[in-house]
Amino acid sequence: MKIQKNGGLSWKSFFRLLRQLKYPWLWIVSTLVFTVFYLWLMTIVPEYTSQLVTGNFKTKYIVGTVAFNLITMTMMNASSNLKAMSKGRAMLKNREILWSRFLRLPMGFLNKRGPSNLVSCISNDLEELMGVVIEELVVEPANLYYLIATMILVRKYSWKLCLTFLATIPLMVVMAVILGKWNFKATSRINSSIGKLTQYLAIRTRSIPFIKSMSAEEMENMSGSDVIKNLFRVKYERNAVTITSNAGSTLLTVLSTIISVVAASILLAHKEITLAQWIAFFFYQSTVASTFASYYAKWPQIKSAHASGIRLAQVMQNPSEATEIYSDRNIPCGDIELKNIGFCYDDKQVLKGVSFTIRHGKTTLLMGESGSGKTTILNLLLRLYEPSAGEIRIGQTAASEWELPAYRKAFAYVTQEAGMFSGTVREAVTYGLRREVTDDEIESALKTVRASNFVHSLPEQLDAPVGELGSKLSGGERQKIAIARAILSGAPYILFDEPTAALDPASTISTLETILLLRKDHTIVIVSHELITASIADEIVHLENGDVREVHAAVRQEPLPGGAV
């Protein structure tokens, strides 16, 4: 995707984006047919109306005028409703496509642009773009038909009248170009501000307890107010564009009307046209002038859509992680060997030539100070990122040779936050499993992690709500649910990132005892800075400043409280 120096999207990438989007063609064509039909009627109405104005009250003109006007209004309303349905269905199709693409974007891309910031492109940018695109697909072919049909009719009166329609085009082009540039900049700033507001609110609403604990309500109130005011300012600029555009449209319509009426009056005075033709031309002219004025507003609208396409094109045209969602290929198995692994976050070197082996069926503990690269190694094992140097091998096969979906099936990841969304205990335990899971399987997994008792103590048991992000469960309970989910996944490798960091001593012991029970069936990798975790490890890898300082076998000097070793 090509981004221009001014931050805009190249026209080539813009049109490529339009080709990537999906359109409800049946609805669009139906809307176009209705629109062309009522515009065809509008070419007939002036002929009948002019006869009545000049005193010709024959029944066919009276009935025809009434009937054509009623049918025209009916068809116009039908066309408007169909256009709204076309836009709605286009939004439905493309929001689904964007969400699917969003989920498969590489983590490096998401981290660089901010996931919360990009979310607004699905809600706001797409709506801006599709509003213009549907309008162009439906209205412009119909308007072009109307202009050609009207020109042909007016040509029968006098070719000179046709020229009056074109008199304001040079001024229209100049004004459209100026407004187009202004509208592009304003829309770009609006989309950026909406993204920042979405990102700000998404982060702050998840951190309300922290804000309250720091008595920072007033500070956040001021910060939030600044973000909201910035959006107001850029929208105010957009409103200024709209007001200027409307004023320009009115000016062009008035100028066109004056020129056309004066020209037609001169032709009438010289008897080159009749009074009925002059009146019919006046009706045609008012509609044609409005149509030309709408063309003047089209370029600013297209530039607005062009600006809205920037982040959409980034999502649609950035390479995704994998083309396959599911794979029947066998999942990796064996020792995991890291050979001279290097990795950078932007320009920061995080890992420098890291080499060690995670032995199959054993528990490996990664220890080190914050920033030493422990969690980065887990991210590389999951292939959330790819190493900038070296390679990871499982058994005899390089990790990069595996299809990504099949590769990730081999891993279960238990984070420090024990990730879960809102929903029930059952949904939290079975999240991400692409098969039917029976209650007996869930019960067995909960018993293994010693969570069965607390789940059955809940009023709704498996159907009990966990709250947003698991807020109704304690830290230890969330950890046990996450470990039960890892067991049900059937993954041979389980990765733990600081599993006891936020737990009290009793919950820490309980969590370590649970991990200990998994050793016989899984290869376990634990990231932790707590020494007690060494009591369940087979091997310890000490990291320092992004490199391996030492690898040695764990020495269990004392059993875990309660007798577990």
Side-chain angles (χ1 to χ4, degrees), residues 135-353:
E135 183 81 13
E136 297 305 311
L137 288 174
V138 171
V139 175
E140 292 321 305
N143 279 347
L144 184 61
Y145 158 78
Y146 178 75
L147 287 174
I148 293 172
T150 302
M151 289 287 190
I152 292 172
L153 289 170
V154 173
R155 173 69 180 79
K156 294 178 181 179
Y157 303 159
S158 170
W159 64 268
K160 297 176 183 178
L161 290 177
C162 292
L163 295 179
T164 64
F165 289 147
L166 310 177
T168 58
I169 287 181
L171 179 61
M172 178 184 74
V173 171
V174 173
M175 293 174 65
V177 170
I178 295 171
L179 276 176
K181 292 181 178 179
W182 187 11
N183 207 25
F184 176 86
K185 293 177 180 178
T187 302
S188 296
R189 284 193 279 265
I190 285 175
N191 293 338
S192 176
S193 296
I194 290 175
K196 290 176 181 177
L197 178 60
T198 303
Q199 186 176 37
Y200 180 88
L201 294 176
I203 293 171
R204 284 345 186 250
T205 51
R206 289 199 302 265
S207 306
I208 292 295
F210 173 67
I211 293 171
K212 290 181 178 293
S213 70
M214 299 300 293
S215 299
E217 292 93 337
E218 188 58 33
M219 181 181 72
E220 290 297 339
N221 184 43
M222 293 174 63
S223 298
S225 179
D226 289 341
V227 178
I228 292 169
K229 286 178 180 177
N230 183 62
L231 178 59
F232 170 79
R233 283 191 292 270
V234 295
K235 283 202 169 186
Y236 189 82
E237 181 184 4
R238 173 77 170 271
N239 289 338
V241 177
T242 303
I243 291 169
T244 305
S245 177
N246 291 339
S249 178
T250 302
L251 173 63
L252 288 171
T253 301
V254 170
L255 283 175
S256 178
T257 301
I258 291 173
I259 293 171
S260 298
V261 169
V262 170
S265 298
I266 293 173
L267 293 175
L268 178 63
H270 287 78
K271 297 183 179 180
E272 293 186 35
I273 59 174
T274 66
L275 178 61
Q277 289 174 335
W278 188 96
I279 293 171
F281 169 75
F282 181 78
F283 284 119
Y284 286 129
Q285 189 280 332
S286 62
T287 307
V288 169
S290 299
T291 303
F292 272 120
S294 73
Y295 277 119
Y296 146 78
K298 290 301 176 188
W299 182 245
Q301 290 173 4
I302 291 171
K303 291 297 289 182
S304 174
H306 187 201
S308 295
I310 294 174
R311 290 187 300 176
L312 291 171
Q314 290 173 347
V315 173
M316 291 295 292
Q317 296 172 16
N318 192 79
S320 59
E321 281 189 324
T323 55
E324 279 192 64
I325 302 175
Y326 306 110
S327 175
D328 295 328
R329 183 178 174 182
N330 292 333
I331 59 178
C333 189
D335 291 349
I336 301 178
E337 185 179 4
L338 288 81
K339 289 184 174 182
N340 299 314
I341 296 297
F343 183 74
C344 298
Y345 281 116
D346 295 327
D347 296 328
K348 182 182 178 183
Q349 187 78 30
V350 181
L351 297 178
K352 312 165 190 174

Side-chain angles (χ1 to χ4, degrees), residues 429-430 433 435 437-438 441-442 445 483-491:
V429 173
T430 60
L433 303 182
R435 62 182 180 85
V437 183
T438 66
E441 289 180 280
I442 296 173
I483 297 171
R485 182 170 62 220
I487 293 172
L488 288 171
S489 73

Side-chain angles (χ1 to χ4, degrees), residues 28-46:
I28 290 172
V29 171
S30 299
T31 307
L32 180 59
V33 169
F34 273 74
T35 305
V36 168
F37 185 61
Y38 92 71
L39 288 175
W40 171 72
L41 291 173
M42 287 181 66
T43 63
I44 299 174
V45 169

Side-chain angles (χ1 to χ4, degrees), residues 31 34 38 70-84:
T31 307
F34 273 74
Y38 92 71
L70 287 175
I71 296 172
T72 299
M73 293 302 297
T74 302
M75 297 299 291
M76 187 184 301
N77 288 331
S79 173
S80 179
N81 290 332
L82 284 171
K83 186 166 67 175

